[in-house]
Amino acid sequence: QVQLVESGGGLVQPGGSLRLSCAASGFTFSNYAMGWYRQAPGKQRELVATITNGGGSTNYADSVKGRFTISRGNAKNTVYLQMNELKPEDTALYYCNARRVAHPYDYNYWGQGTQVTVSS
């Protein structure tokens, strides 16, 4: 059974930091690209950051470049999101995603989300 379990969210003041973790199980983690997405109330889910299966390439939304860092530990089946210089507009439910495209199949898994609230 595929599971993605996020942790590390919480309430933080503007300018603060949080580190999100996503523990994966039930699939071959090293075969999957991983990503973090977020959804704020009343808004669509948006991409935050992605990392390739081997960790050699990353991609970030313009709004988080230079502040957030995605990384992965394939030995621990875990992906991380280090978030620095947090802003109120970063407040959202953050979701972990695992994806592997093997034509004609597109394997796409989601976690339940962890809440991040940036407020003074």
Side-chain angles (χ1 to χ4, degrees), residues 40-93:
K43 294 188 176 182
Q44 289 190 329
R45 190 175 297 189
E46 63 176 3
L47 180 146
V48 176
T50 60
I51 187 168
T52 51
N53 62 319
S57 181
T58 57
N59 180 54
Y60 296 92
D62 287 344
S63 58
V64 307
K65 280 181 182 176
R67 300 188 298 121
F68 290 11
T69 302
I70 188 171
S71 61
R72 65 189 294 161
N74 283 356
K76 294 186 176 181
N77 286 3
T78 303
V79 63
Y80 307 95
L81 185 69
Q82 178 66 44
M83 304 186 296
N84 299 328
E85 301 175 33
L86 282 160
K87 304 175 181 180
E89 51 263 43
D90 295 318
T91 296
L93 190 60

Side-chain angles (χ1 to χ4, degrees), residues 1-5 23-28 77 109-110 112:
Q1 181 183 0
V2 172
Q3 281 195 313
L4 295 172
V5 180
S25 60
F27 61 98
T28 305
N77 286 3
Y109 306 126
W110 294 92
Q112 293 300 307

